[in-house]
Amino acid sequence: MILLDGKKVAQEIRSKLRDSVTFNIEKGLRAPKLAIVIVGHNPASETYVANKIKACQEVGIEVEKIVMEESIKERELLAMVRRLNRDKSVDGFIVQLPLPEHISEAKVLTAIDFRKDVDGLTPMSMGRAIQGLPAFRSATPSGILELLQAYAIPTEGKHVVVIGRSNIVGKPMAMMLMQRPYLSLPNMSASALGDATVTVCHSKTRRLGAICRTADIIIVAAGSPKLLKANMVKEGAVVIDVGINRMDDASFPRGYRLVGDVDFEAVAPKCSYITPVPGGVGPMTIAMLLKQTSLAYSAKVLGLKMK
Ligand code: NAD
């Protein structure tokens, strides 16, 4: 069994990005700039945003953090989105999810210009991606593809089971895996991955275990600790654990530890490759945000156009 070390692969991506940012600055160009909008004070969101800011700073990407109060009106957030769409100094921006209940996530995401949608979550980005047109891709699924690529794990002709059908992970993951490999952006190399036979499972799926046992690769994004058990995995399968669940544990400094959706101790011995939690998919997601911000910058500053 080989551990898929997302932390190490993400670090390599970050160090290449740092080199390219430094190179452009030495040539007299400006640094790429990402804006992050956060509404309210959800502790998990604050942690995610703090991690993203730290990662940007490490590679030399400028960040503008925009904090809006929980009580703001939907139209105020939409006005901020429009401001960021117009702001020429901002290459890409994200609105941290989830949003307070009185604000429609769909409306906010739809308002984001797809050329600045470095999280790849807007309907326009996803629609373009489905049709193989240049667009930013959802950060978590594209991070998973990069991780598979880094370990030379092919997907062509493989049966991949994706557990979860969310807009941010399950759906775009399934879509990317079943695509013929394509260029997502003008200056991005074609992904060697795709061409898989994909089964998507969800909370209403019957005989989940039997379906998983036929999989060469299982990607779990359900948000349910220890959902994937050893008897659901065939010998030699590749297992990607997207789940991030907090489990109370007084022996950890924060009073909890992070666990994934896979019963790791029991499943790992049966796998050819498996991701740990933490240190697997999580760091890759942030690396993709940085990479796509840098691509948005290149598209603008270096004149590569998304058509
Ligand atoms: P979500 O809650 O929007 O969707 C969960 C999906 O799992 C649903 O489609 C549901 O039908 C399915 N599901 C739930 N229980 C199931 C079960 N028992 N059997 C089969 N299917 C089941 O979740 P999401 O936003 O896609 O996130 C999933 C998990 O991944 C969460 O733990 C989240 O924290 C984590 N996540 C991690 C990253 C990362 O970078 N590592 C990024 C995004 C999400």
Side-chain angles (χ1 to χ4, degrees):
M1 182 273 293
I2 296 174
L3 268 187
L4 294 169
D5 191 342
K7 208 170 159 188
K8 181 168 142 251
V9 175
Q11 198 50 54
E12 287 161 9
I13 293 170
R14 281 150 73 151
S15 108
K16 278 195 200 138
L17 286 174
R18 191 170 44 237
D19 291 348
S20 100
V21 172
T22 311
F23 177 77
N24 285 330
I25 288 172
E26 279 169 2
K27 279 201 314 199
L29 297 169
R30 65 169 174 82
K33 181 170 169 185
L34 173 74
I36 303 179
V37 181
I38 177 167
V39 181
H41 300 277
N42 172 329
S45 294
E46 285 192 332
T47 308
Y48 292 139
V49 168
N51 289 340
K52 288 170 188 175
I53 292 174
K54 195 165 150 245
C56 281
Q57 288 166 341
E58 214 186 277
V59 303
I61 292 175
E62 193 188 326
V63 208
E64 180 183 350
K65 180 183 174 190
I66 299 161
V67 183
M68 301 184 88
E69 284 312 313
E70 182 100 26
S71 56
I72 56 150
K73 299 210 163 45
E74 186 179 89
R75 63 178 157 72
E76 293 175 274
L77 181 55
L78 288 170
M80 175 58 74
V81 166
R82 285 192 288 271
R83 191 215 102 187
L84 292 168
N85 283 341
R86 284 192 306 269
D87 188 335
K88 290 198 166 51
S89 75
V90 171
D91 298 301
F93 67 97
I94 63 171
V95 178
Q96 183 68 38
L97 302 178
L99 292 171
E101 275 191 6
H102 66 281
I103 299 179
S104 156
E105 277 184 13
K107 266 194 200 168
V108 172
L109 289 177
T110 305
I112 297 174
D113 184 334
F114 79 96
R115 285 160 295 206
K116 293 193 174 187
D117 174 25
V118 285
D119 246 352
L121 293 183
T122 64
M124 184 66 138
S125 298
M126 285 203 179
R128 289 178 67 97
I130 283 183
Q131 298 200 352
L133 294 169
F136 293 115
R137 296 190 289 185
S138 287
T140 302
S142 45
I144 292 170
L145 291 190
E146 291 250 352
L147 191 56
L148 293 172
Q149 199 156 20
Y151 283 84
I153 299 169
T155 56
E156 186 189 304
K158 296 286 164 70
H159 180 210
V160 184
V161 169
V162 177
I163 307 179
R165 57 178 164 186
S166 70
N167 285 339
I168 65 164
V169 191
K171 273 189 223 166
M173 183 81 259
M175 183 272 296
M176 285 179 197
L177 283 162
M178 62 111 189
Q179 291 265 12
R180 292 175 73 174
Y182 70 99
L183 290 169
S184 66
L185 285 170
N187 57 343
M188 202 181 209
S189 57
S191 165
L193 296 154
D195 281 337
T197 303
V198 185
T199 303
V200 180
C201 299
H202 47 77
S203 52
K204 302 288 184 218
T205 297
R206 292 180 192 159
R207 303 176 64 242
L208 181 65
I211 296 170
C212 288
R213 277 192 292 280
T214 67
D216 304 302
I217 300 173
I218 307 175
I219 300 174
V220 204
S224 176
K226 296 199 179 182
L227 172 67
L228 191 78
K229 306 254 182 318
N231 65 3
M232 298 163 77
V233 178
K234 78 173 178 192
E235 282 296 335
V238 176
V239 170
I240 308 290
D241 189 352
V242 185
I244 302 178
N245 307 292
R246 288 184 180 192
M247 298 282 273
D248 291 339
D249 189 332
S251 67
F252 278 68
R254 288 189 181 151
Y256 64 85
R257 69 192 157 93
L258 296 180
V259 298
D261 290 347
V262 176
D263 184 359
F264 186 88
E265 277 71 31
V267 169
K270 292 183 86 174
C271 297
S272 53
Y273 297 88
I274 186 167
T275 55
V277 176
V281 175
M284 293 301 296
T285 298
I286 296 192
M288 289 304 102
L289 173 67
L290 304 181
K291 188 167 177 178
Q292 300 207 116
T293 301
S294 158
L295 286 168
Y297 163 89
S298 304
K300 185 136 48 84
V301 177
L302 306 179
L304 295 164
K305 292 274 177 288
M306 271 202 252
K307 295 202 177 88

